[in-house]
Amino acid sequence: MNVILAQPRGFCAGVVRAIDIVELALEQYGAPVYVRHEIVHNHHVVESLKAKGAIFVEELDEVPVDAVTVFSAHGVARVVENAARQRQLRVLDATCPLVGKVHNQGRQYAAKGYQVILIGEAGHPEVIGILGQIPAPVVVVRNVDQVEDLPFPANTPMAYITQTTLSVDDTKAVVLALQQRYPGIVGPDTRDICYAVQNRQTALRILSQCVDLVLVVGAANSANTVTLRTIAAETGVPAYRVAEGAELDRQWFQNVETVGITAGASTPEALVDDVIAALGNLAPLTIKTLPGREEQVQFNLPTGLIARSR
């Protein structure tokens, strides 16, 4: 069996930063360090951090006063930030800077009097955080049909922002529908969607052209991972999302000579290796990596944390 790996795949700079924040906090302040919600959407990452002394909570009232507390990469609402101050928690904010950029865009549009539309998945932690960062009513839409249902007259001052982890193509379709219905609408270029999402989607489309089947490694609650599987299926090749090698089904690989593998932005490379090892139990493997974009992005750590030398 031939295995071809997408490039880039797996961890993005925002995820690396978020995990580093928890690990560095444990090193510098000692255990326990409290983390509100999953730091990133990957069970293996969360379990690894738990083993090092991180305690994951759903709400801040579970955190002792004055404890070191980390906000997840998805961002939080201002009410959460205020609650942390009231409880005198020592907060390290692991919100991805690109998510923070969406927060700023939304606040600026609202301050100018625009009705803000957020293109995103209702209920996703990133979307909940964005809604809670904008001091004005915001309407969430995910698809073109929901754009048609918007109640605002065509001359309403409108602006849109986007969840970072959506499909670029899906976002373009919704933006086009918004522009057709509200010709004066303003918003960021679709290129402002997370660089890592764009790069992984582009690499996957190239990969799909030269394989018989695609495996997307990542968690079921990872939006960008689920989107990658959808994109792969849309190219016409069979595509499956798996969290680890144990989830492979031998039946998938009948008459399959070449398997493509990619991974969501919150998936550690160790899980890709685990899937490759499981494939190796089915057949002898040849493995290569497609040429692709080399990502050099790095984000600064919060004040008070000392970066490791890499």
Side-chain angles (χ1 to χ4, degrees):
M1 186 183 295
N2 302 310
V3 174
I4 304 178
L5 303 175
Q7 172 62 34
R9 65 183 179 278
F11 279 178
C12 63
V15 166
V16 170
R17 176 180 181 269
I19 295 170
D20 279 353
I21 287 171
V22 179
E23 292 182 338
L24 289 168
L26 287 165
E27 291 174 14
Q28 293 175 216
Y29 299 106
V33 165
Y34 292 82
V35 185
R36 185 182 181 274
H37 294 173
E38 290 188 340
I39 186 68
V40 296
H41 280 158
N42 188 278
H43 174 73
H44 291 266
V45 171
V46 170
E47 290 303 311
S48 173
L49 294 173
K50 282 182 179 179
K52 296 176 181 179
I55 296 176
F56 289 82
V57 300
E58 288 302 307
E59 301 300 339
L60 292 184
D61 58 12
E62 302 172 57
V63 181
V65 171
D66 196 40
V68 176
T69 306
V70 180
F71 292 157
S72 79
H74 308 103
V76 300
R78 285 191 163 178
V79 65
V80 176
E81 296 172 340
N82 294 335
R85 279 191 290 270
Q86 291 173 359
R87 292 183 58 80
Q88 299 177 320
L89 303 180
R90 291 178 285 169
V91 171
L92 296 168
D93 191 353
T95 300
C96 174
L98 297 180
V99 175
K101 181 179 179 181
V102 177
H103 293 174
N104 290 331
Q105 289 170 336
R107 286 194 292 263
Q108 290 170 7
Y109 288 138
K112 293 177 180 177
Y114 291 108
Q115 169 60 56
V116 179
I117 304 296
L118 170 55
I119 304 172
E121 299 277 3
H124 187 279
E126 181 184 333
V127 168
I128 293 170
I130 293 170
L131 294 174
Q133 284 285 337
I134 300 172
V138 177
V139 177
V140 179
V141 300
R142 179 62 184 89
N143 54 47
V144 171
D145 290 341
Q146 290 174 333
V147 172
E148 297 304 315
D149 292 336
L150 291 173
F152 310 108
N155 62 350
T156 304
M158 303 281 283
Y160 68 86
I161 52 178
T162 65
Q163 179 182 340
T164 62
T165 50
L166 295 181
S167 159
V168 176
D169 284 347
D170 282 354
T171 303
K172 284 182 178 177
V174 178
V175 169
L176 180 60
L178 285 167
Q179 291 171 335
Q180 289 175 337
R181 183 157 184 205
Y182 303 102
I185 195 168
V186 299
D189 193 287
T190 52
R191 289 173 296 186
D192 278 356
I193 283 183
C194 170
Y195 79 93
V197 167
Q198 291 186 65
N199 291 348
R200 280 151 188 74
Q201 291 179 5
T202 299
L204 174 60
R205 289 188 173 93
I206 296 170
L207 177 71
S208 298
Q209 295 172 10
C210 52
V211 299
D212 303 314
L213 178 147
V214 168
L215 297 174
V216 180
V217 186
N221 62 339
S222 166
N224 73 89
T225 297
V226 172
T227 298
L228 285 172
R229 195 216 66 81
T230 300
I231 290 173
E234 287 172 349
T235 68
V237 297
Y240 302 93
R241 183 207 57 80
V242 295
E244 57 188 7
E247 295 185 1
L248 296 185
D249 185 335
R250 183 182 293 270
Q251 300 299 316
W252 297 344
F253 304 98
Q254 293 184 2
N255 302 316
V256 170
E257 294 183 2
T258 304
V259 176
I261 299 179
T262 189
S266 56
T267 304
E269 188 66 11
L271 293 180
V272 175
D273 294 339
D274 185 62
V275 169
I276 293 172
L279 287 173
N281 292 330
L282 303 180
L285 304 180
T286 63
I287 303 170
K288 73 174 185 178
T289 300
L290 284 181
R293 185 181 295 274
E294 295 288 340
E295 295 176 344
Q296 304 296 332
V297 177
Q298 291 184 333
F299 294 130
N300 293 330
L301 294 167
T303 302
L305 287 183
I306 302 171
R308 308 183 190 94
S309 58
R310 291 189 180 276

